[in-house]
Amino acid sequence: MATLKNINITLKIWRQQNAKAKGKLETYTLNDVSTDSSFLEMLDMLNENLIEEGKEPIAFDHDCREGICGMCSLYINGRPHGPDYGTTTCQLHMRSFKDGDTIYIEPWRSKAFPVIKDLIVDRSSFDRIQQAGGYVSINTSGRTVDANTIPVPKQNADDAFDAATCIGCGACVAACKNGSAMLFVGAKVSQFALLPQGRVEASKRVQKMVAQMDAEGFGNCSNTGACEVECPKGISLSNIARMNREFLSAKIASEEKY
């Protein structure tokens, strides 16, 4: 039996002018969508039709379209990045849907991710968390030791690399019933905490990043695990446990000084 190459779909898309405006779902019909096209290409097709009709196109975010940057963050049929596991929205293809399907498309829902317009949200809160402590500072005056000369256990190196694959898309926040960013912060803490280069500032780093996370208005983790399931890079919950250990150790150490 031949596979249907083109499908007709109904789209329920969230439209909102800005963070203060009241938004609503609007309905669009799109015919002859190739199942070989990506989800973002389908939205491009819809916007071309809207422009030809003299209507305002739908604002949505994207950049690399290769699953690297994390910009293409959409809530599709009640799931971050859609029905497939381990993929970003730009890696999702229309073959994942059936002819006649109704697809609901919404932006991330979080107090810390205010809507800019339509499907685009402001995720600069993630940037501020990283700026608070997600870096390694080093004195470069004089001779700097090559990082590759410092031995690192393979398991630590592998775990640090896995944590560093987090692209900061915010799917963990969107999936969490509490709007928690602890998987993201845990990954950013872990990628440094596991390496000797990151141990120098480990105590200050975790306290600053957690404090900034709380200041941004993210919720607390209640270990439901939805964040790990929906993360397109498969970031492990173990990073949250490591962040908690790092934070507790840092707090105890700082209290012992006084």
Side-chain angles (χ1 to χ4, degrees):
M1 184 176 179
T3 302
L4 187 65
K5 290 295 182 180
N6 292 318
I7 58 175
N8 302 327
I9 55 175
T10 299
L11 302 169
K12 301 278 188 178
I13 301 179
W14 187 261
R15 304 301 305 265
Q16 185 173 341
Q17 278 298 113
N18 52 57
K20 295 182 179 180
K22 185 177 181 180
K24 64 177 181 178
L25 287 169
E26 293 190 1
T27 304
Y28 303 92
T29 300
L30 200 56
N31 298 323
D32 295 324
V33 178
S34 171
T35 54
D36 290 330
S37 63
S38 72
F39 198 85
L40 295 188
E41 287 172 335
M42 178 274 294
L43 289 178
D44 290 336
M45 179 180 173
L46 174 62
N47 276 343
E48 288 175 3
N49 291 349
L50 291 176
I51 292 171
E52 288 178 0
E53 295 170 5
K55 298 177 181 178
E56 186 176 12
I58 295 153
F60 64 95
D61 222 343
H62 61 90
D63 190 1
C64 72
R65 298 200 179 202
E66 294 179 347
I68 298 172
C69 69
M71 297 293 288
C72 59
S73 302
L74 298 178
Y75 205 68
I76 303 167
N77 285 350
R79 290 187 61 183
H81 294 299
D84 289 351
Y85 290 98
T87 61
T88 53
T89 298
C90 64
Q91 295 173 303
L92 180 66
H93 284 76
M94 295 310 296
R95 66 179 69 98
S96 297
F97 303 94
K98 299 176 181 178
D99 186 45
D101 274 357
T102 296
I103 305 173
Y104 288 80
I105 310 172
E106 303 169 79
W108 285 172
R109 301 292 187 184
S110 172
K111 176 184 177 182
F113 290 159
V115 172
I116 295 176
K117 185 175 182 180
D118 294 341
L119 303 173
I120 302 176
V121 299
D122 181 357
R123 289 174 297 168
S124 59
S125 53
F126 270 12
D127 296 330
R128 290 188 289 273
I129 291 172
Q130 292 195 84
Q131 290 162 5
Y135 56 86
V136 174
S137 60
I138 187 169
N139 184 2
T140 57
S141 60
R143 183 181 177 185
T144 303
V145 178
D146 190 334
N148 290 330
T149 65
I150 303 174
V152 180
K154 184 179 186 305
Q155 188 60 56
N156 287 359
D158 289 345
D159 290 345
F161 182 82
D162 289 343
T165 59
C166 168
I167 57 177
C169 67
C172 51
V173 177
C176 180
K177 63 181 181 181
N178 304 320
S180 172
M182 291 186 74
L183 189 67
F184 165 77
V185 179
K188 297 307 173 184
V189 167
S190 291
Q191 72 181 71
F192 294 117
L194 286 160
L195 302 177
Q197 296 90 339
R199 293 310 307 169
V200 179
E201 298 165 300
S203 178
K204 292 181 180 179
R205 176 183 302 111
V206 68
Q207 292 185 79
K208 287 181 178 180
M209 293 182 77
V210 169
Q212 188 63 44
M213 174 183 69
D214 292 340
E216 296 292 344
F218 290 104
N220 293 318
C221 174
S222 53
N223 294 314
T224 58
C227 54
E228 180 180 359
V229 172
E230 300 295 356
C231 174
K233 298 302 177 180
I235 302 298
S236 171
L237 282 174
S238 63
N239 290 293
I240 296 178
R242 183 176 296 107
M243 179 190 70
N244 287 335
R245 290 195 301 271
E246 290 284 327
F247 182 78
L248 183 59
S249 297
K251 292 292 288 184
I252 292 174
S254 62
E255 291 172 0
E256 288 177 347
K257 292 181 180 180
Y258 302 99

